[in-house]
Amino acid sequence: MLPESTDVLVVGAGPTGLAVAVALAGHGMTATVVDRLAEPPVTSRAAVVHAGTLEVLDRIGVAAPLAARGLHSTRFTVRDRDRVLAAVPFDRLPSRYPYALLISQAETEVVLTDRLTALGGRVRRPYELTGLDLDDGGATARFADGGTVRARWVVGADGMHSRVRELAGIGFGGPADPGESFLLADVRVDSTLPRDQVTLFLSRQGPLIWAPLPDGTVRLVATVTDAPREPQARHFQALLDERGPVRRPDRVLDVAWASRFRIHHRIADTYRSGPVLLAGDAAHVHSPAGGQGMNLGLRDAVALGDALAAGPEALDAYAAERRPRAEEVLGFAAGLTRLAAAPPAVRPLRNLLLRVVSALPPARQRLAVRLAGFEPGQG
Ligand SMILES: Cc1cc2nc3c(=O)[nH]c(=O)nc-3n(C[C@H](O)[C@H](O)[C@H](O)COP(=O)(O)OP(=O)(O)OC[C@H]3O[C@@H](n4cnc5c(N)ncnc54)[C@H](O)[C@@H]3O)c2cc1C
């Protein structure tokens, strides 16, 4: 059953919505959290939580239990085939969590849900938001089962195709073309690549990310021009042959999970419209190449929880401060793709530049801090 009224209605119980609710509970505020799915999804999806995000999650009591469940990767390596162009260590990050934490999104959601439960909160399922009547005092939310909830604030944490964003009339502009195409999989692979680091292969055909996961599989993410409808082992073998190591090539043994999708880089026109606030994928989407999407959403979420607890002026500040963070991350992800796709004539220069940057400790540290998702004022 939904309550008749609530102070904060959080629509969507993905990582963002859950983290907003946990942050609010930490301030002694109970949010009503709804999700249209009867059960949380169990698929892998986002695979990395960065140190900058763990520092923020530490404030809501979630970082330590997350860190205990994942794999700690202390280095990020950029390669052109066998050649290491840059090795970025995370172990000197200004953090109690000096690594990239590799953990499936489903696990991250379990940890957030456990924390919410421990603080007395819960997710109400399945409730699908279908309508929103906005007025000066808040909003009346309508649901597919005919129910309504009166809320002072409505948080749109309902993902890329956000209904909240649409009902509030907030634009989510972007080009009309079909967007960048990606292939993803968790594969079992016979490989000599180190299992304690994430490797980014720069290749003319696009970047290929190779990330070890705690269950022994490896997450592969690649941009492709034409993704097969049902990606199979041979497709990922072909990607590794085309972009991966040459001297000791990887051999795909089997595919635990695979997916393809197209994505545009988009940011909502505003993160606040009256009583409606956006966070996570509802506010921004971009390529998974930098492993930053969910991280940005989690940091939005804690900032929004703090702002809701602090009052209306803090909400304007939330909207003004978080949108530029998304612009930065989108620019960074686009830069990675450009770096990978450098034309043959420019590649020797690119490779040289990366090696020089990697050899200079201050530059290397700056890159580590950036990759780890630290934001201005942090770290
Ligand atoms: C295949 C795949 C691979 C990915 N890989 C990566 C990666 O490697 N790195 C990375 O950082 N990110 C990755 N992402 C993106 C990452 O999953 C998202 O950034 C993250 O899930 C965003 O969290 P969110 O809570 O904002 O939104 P979501 O996780 O999308 O959650 C939104 C929730 O809202 C609910 N909802 C939607 N509409 C309604 C409604 N009308 N009423 C009620 N509930 C509603 C949904 O059921 C859902 O539970 C990947 C995504 C996919 C699909």
Side-chain angles (χ1 to χ4, degrees):
M1 275 283 284
L2 290 175
E4 260 174 40
S5 69
T6 184
D7 205 25
V8 182
L9 174 68
V10 178
V11 183
T16 305
L18 290 169
V20 171
V22 172
L24 279 170
H27 288 287
M29 290 172 72
T30 308
T32 300
V33 188
V34 295
D35 200 289
R36 68 178 172 193
L37 298 178
E39 300 286 340
V42 290
T43 50
S44 188
R45 296 162 292 147
V48 58
V49 183
H50 290 292
T53 311
L54 286 167
E55 284 296 325
V56 171
L57 292 179
D58 203 39
R59 292 188 0 234
I60 61 166
V62 171
L66 264 185
R69 289 186 182 219
L71 194 149
H72 300 186
S73 162
T74 51
R75 188 177 284 263
F76 179 82
T77 305
V78 183
R79 290 183 180 230
D80 183 349
R81 297 297 217 158
D82 292 319
R83 204 149 161 228
V84 174
L85 303 177
V88 184
F90 290 133
D91 51 5
R92 280 190 211 101
L93 285 171
S95 171
R96 278 152 296 172
Y97 306 96
Y99 43 77
L101 181 72
L102 293 153
I103 184 167
S104 89
Q105 183 170 334
E107 284 272 302
T108 300
E109 291 174 2
V110 165
V111 170
L112 284 162
T113 306
D114 287 351
R115 180 73 181 144
L116 183 62
T117 309
L119 292 168
R122 69 184 172 103
V123 178
R124 294 160 202 260
R125 303 171 178 273
Y127 289 103
E128 179 175 5
L129 179 93
T130 52
L132 208 50
D133 303 319
L134 307 175
D135 55 62
D136 290 343
T140 301
R142 285 180 271 116
F143 290 86
D145 68 347
T148 60
V149 174
R150 177 77 195 153
R152 175 69 193 94
W153 306 107
V154 178
V155 173
D158 50 344
M160 176 159 50
H161 303 291
S162 170
R163 202 70 207 275
V164 173
R165 186 185 64 226
E166 182 193 317
L167 291 165
I170 300 173
F172 200 47
D177 63 85
E180 247 183 314
S181 167
F182 286 89
L183 267 186
L184 283 97
D186 293 350
V187 297
R188 278 202 320 116
V189 65
D190 187 8
S191 172
T192 54
L193 288 170
R195 296 262 172 178
D196 62 347
Q197 49 192 264
V198 175
T199 301
L200 166 67
F201 289 95
L202 297 182
S203 125
R204 240 184 89 204
Q205 292 84 357
L208 168 67
I209 300 206
W210 192 106
L213 297 179
D215 65 359
T217 60
V218 167
R219 163 65 58 88
L220 299 176
V221 183
T223 53
V224 291
T225 38
D226 228 351
R229 187 182 298 273
E230 284 178 15
Q232 317 217 336
R234 64 189 160 86
H235 297 115
F236 294 98
Q237 185 62 58
L239 277 172
L240 283 162
D241 292 345
E242 179 186 82
R243 306 179 192 188
V246 179
R247 266 201 304 274
R248 293 181 192 160
D250 277 11
R251 200 163 56 84
V252 175
L253 302 175
D254 59 49
V255 176
W257 167 85
S259 179
R260 65 164 189 173
F261 66 89
R262 282 190 174 276
I263 203 158
H264 269 120
H265 290 203
R266 289 179 199 269
I267 307 184
D269 291 349
T270 177
Y271 281 25
R272 178 179 179 190
S273 176
V276 171
L277 295 133
L278 300 182
D281 276 17
H284 44 73
V285 287
H286 62 89
S287 102
Q292 302 285 342
M294 183 184 72
N295 284 267
L296 187 60
L298 287 168
R299 298 196 297 268
D300 288 346
V302 177
L304 181 53
D306 289 349
L308 281 162
E313 274 171 27
L315 292 172
D316 284 333
Y318 161 81
E321 281 162 21
R322 294 308 303 170
R323 199 175 180 281
R325 299 286 88 82
E327 281 170 349
E328 278 167 25
V329 169
L330 262 65
F332 187 61
L336 273 184
T337 306
R338 275 199 303 276
L339 205 65
V346 185
R347 280 167 73 198
L349 184 67
R350 173 202 73 188
N351 291 359
L352 179 70
L353 212 72
L354 275 166
R355 294 176 87 129
V356 169
V357 166
S358 162
L360 297 172
R364 203 167 54 207
Q365 178 69 354
R366 263 206 304 282
L367 195 56
V369 165
R370 187 70 198 266
L371 278 167
F374 281 86
E375 296 182 350
Q378 249 194 311

